[in-house]
Amino acid sequence: MSTIVRSTSIVGGMTLVSRVLGLAREVLFATLFGPGVGMDAFLVAFKIPNFLRRLFAEGAFAQAFVPVLSATRSADGDLEVKRLIAVSAGTLGVVLVVLTALGVAFAPAVIAVFAVGFVDDPVKFEAASDMLRWTFPYLLLISLSALFAGVLNTYNRFAIPAFSPVWLNVCLITAAVVFAPSTHALAVAVLVAGVVQLGFHLPSVSRLGVLTWPRVNFSDPQVRRILRMMGPILFGSSVAQINLLLDTILASLLVTGSISWLYFSDRLMEFPLGVFSIALATVILPRLSGQHAGGRKQEFAATVDWALRFLFLLGMPAAVGLLVLAGPLVTTLFQYNAFSAVDVEMTRRSLMAYALGFFGFSLVKILTPAFYSREDARTPVRCGVIALSLTMVLNIALVGAFTLLGIEGVHAGLALGTSLGAFINAALLYRALKRGIGLTVSRGLVRIIVSTCVAAATMGAVLILAGGPVDEWIAADLWTRVTWLLAAVGGGGLIYALVILVLGLRPRDFRLADVVDTVGETGPGSV
């Protein structure tokens, strides 16, 4: 097994553990709390630092820090790496302490901005503001964790950063079980999780011999280099997250439960997105950075091509499965106690809308590292601004259309608009790569795309014909639901694999060494 496949397997496997626990967490949320005032308030208070985490820590900082760290390690060695980590941690820490203090002090104002609809509901507004004071410091802790995760990833130590999110789920699950129905306890658990996650990274970084006390130095050339990249990346790498947050703002103006329905459906869509797409993006960023620094253009293009091949192989059945099995998934995982049949239907509709955009979100995750590894942060910003603007127009138009037409589940219009916007962003990024570095879709990749689409469509058709109506799933008991769902997932996976084999795809089509040899091939079937 090649190093990059092994690394992706490690990240994917650890992420799978985290996502499974994440699903368990959502099941408990749905069962013990259900969509309502308390859960809507907590989700907003949790989404704000979580959004900033993805935007700032795992988005802008990670995408800017890893290429600079990789280049520093290649050119100057571990002593300079140690110094860079010290000044980066110190400078980042000061900024985050100030930002956290402002977020805690002005929590009501932040809620008024991010959940406009809560202003007219004193109960929701006060609850969300109180919980935000507990959840906002999570941004400080998880951002420092992201810094040390970037260090470990640069040294090809992927397991610890990939496993770290498990602790957030463990803390939230514990709080839900012990303190339900108090949603305030969930907010405290978020803060505790941040402390645990930061402490979890430190021993591994220390063993590398590069851990030292932080130093503040805004004038350091390497820090300024990172900060210059972070500005554009701050927006460009996180368009999907901005779209989801804008969905929350608009959803706060809709009926109670809309935020929760969108949240639960988004979490189900994020499961395969994290296991496949984000795992691939995490592994290829340091590799692409090293290849760019070494001027190895063909290897650079081959790595992107390889990542897209694996994305289609694993992501295509996941996207179709989410679309076709939306109702059974929501029913089996969430429809207990406080989660009603109406909640199932509303969550199912938004999940189907998000499933349509799964590949758009995934392609953005894979393509953006190709820019940031070359320290090009401006191009994703241009693409992101266009995509975000069009997405907002689509969101407002679809919500308006659903309302005028009397379509039940207006919130699903937000999910659909966000999904369409993801494809717009992905198309713009690919066009920019094609123009900028001459990236093409090789004949081998085209063959894989066609084969996986045919196999996934066949799988989906069989699942539709074999599946029953959602009402039958709702009427069934827990073990019957689980049995049916496992049979559907297992049977669908088997059908997909058989069709893939019949169409001639083999392991050699996904070996990086073979991709390097064939990625430059053009002719009929290349794009």
Side-chain angles (χ1 to χ4, degrees):
M1 184 183 292
S2 67
T3 301
I4 190 170
V5 174
R6 184 165 52 252
S7 299
T8 305
S9 300
I10 290 171
V11 175
M14 295 297 184
T15 304
L16 178 61
V17 173
S18 175
R19 297 293 169 154
V20 169
L21 282 176
L23 277 181
R25 180 187 84 194
E26 311 312 341
V27 169
L28 286 173
F29 283 1
T31 303
L32 299 176
F33 303 97
V37 173
M39 183 51 62
D40 278 3
F42 167 71
L43 292 178
V44 169
F46 181 44
K47 272 191 173 185
I48 292 170
N50 212 35
F51 160 74
L52 292 173
R53 167 183 69 87
R54 293 183 178 185
L55 186 71
F56 184 74
E58 295 176 358
F61 181 76
Q63 302 278 14
F65 179 64
V66 170
V68 173
L69 188 67
S70 296
T72 300
R73 185 188 178 200
S74 298
D76 303 314
D78 287 347
L79 283 178
E80 182 62 19
V81 165
K82 189 174 183 178
R83 190 199 65 80
L84 175 59
I85 293 170
V87 294
S88 298
T91 308
L92 175 67
V94 168
V95 173
L96 289 169
V97 167
V98 173
L99 181 60
T100 299
L102 291 173
V104 171
F106 297 99
V110 176
I111 294 296
V113 171
F114 286 95
V116 180
F118 284 14
V119 175
D120 296 327
D121 189 329
V123 176
K124 275 188 181 180
F125 185 77
E126 184 177 353
S129 299
D130 288 344
M131 285 189 274
L132 183 62
R133 294 188 177 97
W134 286 101
T135 61
F136 205 96
Y138 181 70
L139 173 63
L140 166 65
L141 298 164
I142 202 62
S143 297
L144 292 175
S145 296
L147 183 150
F148 294 119
V151 174
L152 292 172
N153 287 339
T154 301
Y155 281 81
N156 294 320
R157 306 293 198 275
F158 295 102
I160 294 296
F163 187 82
S164 177
V166 167
W167 295 116
L168 173 63
N169 292 323
V170 168
C171 292
L172 285 171
I173 288 171
T174 302
V177 171
V178 175
F179 297 106
S182 170
T183 50
H184 280 75
L186 300 179
V188 177
V190 171
L191 177 59
V192 173
V195 175
V196 174
Q197 287 178 271
L198 176 58
F200 185 62
H201 286 87
L202 296 179
S204 297
V205 177
S206 179
R207 282 193 290 271
L208 293 175
V210 294
L211 184 63
T212 186
W213 286 102
R215 298 201 306 271
V216 180
N217 187 353
F218 283 94
S219 63
D220 184 88
Q222 296 288 61
V223 170
R224 295 175 69 86
R225 182 180 172 188
I226 293 170
L227 292 174
R228 279 196 302 271
M229 288 183 64
M230 279 182 65
I233 295 175
L234 192 62
F235 185 88
S237 69
S238 300
V239 169
Q241 298 306 315
I242 294 174
N243 285 336
L244 291 173
L245 188 65
L246 291 173
D247 284 355
T248 300
I249 295 173
L250 292 174
S252 72
L253 301 171
L254 303 178
V255 298
T256 296
S258 296
I259 291 175
S260 298
W261 298 328
L262 285 168
Y263 172 79
F264 287 122
S265 54
D266 171 56
R267 297 309 301 163
L268 286 175
M269 188 270 292
E270 288 275 352
F271 185 94
L273 187 67
V275 174
F276 306 139
S277 313
I278 297 176
L280 284 167
T282 299
V283 170
I284 66 173
L285 176 59
R287 190 179 188 90
L288 289 173
S289 300
Q291 290 166 343
H292 173 70
R296 304 191 300 274
K297 295 183 179 179
Q298 185 171 356
E299 291 182 22
F300 185 98
T303 299
V304 176
D305 192 283
W306 173 87
L308 291 172
R309 292 182 186 210
F310 259 94
L311 174 62
F312 276 92
L313 176 68
L314 302 174
M316 188 59 70
V320 173
L322 284 175
L323 180 65
V324 174
L325 298 175
L329 280 168
V330 173
T331 305
T332 303
L333 294 172
F334 300 141
Q335 205 269 311
Y336 308 98
N337 295 340
F339 205 93
S340 68
V342 173
D343 295 324
V344 168
E345 179 60 22
M346 294 299 101
T347 306
R348 181 186 73 88
R349 293 181 182 219
S350 50
L351 176 56
M352 292 178 71
Y354 278 138
L356 292 173
F358 174 83
F359 249 91
F361 295 120
S362 298
L363 288 169
V364 171
K365 293 292 183 185
I366 298 299
L367 295 177
T368 48
F371 294 94
Y372 300 135
S373 61
R374 299 183 295 117
E375 300 187 25
D376 174 12
R378 295 182 181 276
T379 302
V381 169
R382 289 196 296 268
C383 298
V385 168
I386 296 171
L388 180 60
S389 301
L390 292 175
T391 299
M392 284 305 300
V393 172
L394 287 169
N395 282 347
I396 295 171
L398 287 169
V399 167
F402 279 33
T403 303
L404 289 174
L405 295 173
I407 297 175
E408 192 176 6
V410 174
H411 67 289
L414 297 174
L416 181 58
T418 300
S419 292
L420 294 174
F423 277 109
I424 293 171
N425 195 15
L428 292 172
L429 289 171
Y430 170 71
R431 187 180 69 169
L433 279 176
K434 187 174 183 179
R435 290 180 174 180
I437 62 173
L439 183 71
T440 60
V441 179
S442 66
R443 283 184 293 176
L445 179 54
V446 170
R447 177 167 163 263
I448 288 170
I449 292 173
V450 172
S451 299
T452 54
C453 285
V454 171
T458 304
M459 179 195 77
V462 173
L463 290 176
I464 290 173
L465 292 174
V470 176
D471 290 344
E472 291 185 5
W473 289 76
I474 293 176
D477 59 46
L478 170 62
W479 296 114
T480 301
R481 292 176 180 179
V482 171
T483 301
W484 287 352
L485 186 60
L486 290 176
V489 173
L494 181 60
I495 292 168
Y496 178 79
L498 289 174
V499 176
I500 284 291
L501 291 174
V502 169
L503 293 174
L505 292 189
R506 297 293 183 268
R508 63 176 175 273
D509 296 311
F510 303 93
R511 281 198 292 262
L512 183 58
D514 293 333
V515 175
V516 173
D517 294 334
T518 61
V519 73
E521 294 178 357
T522 58
S526 62
V527 178

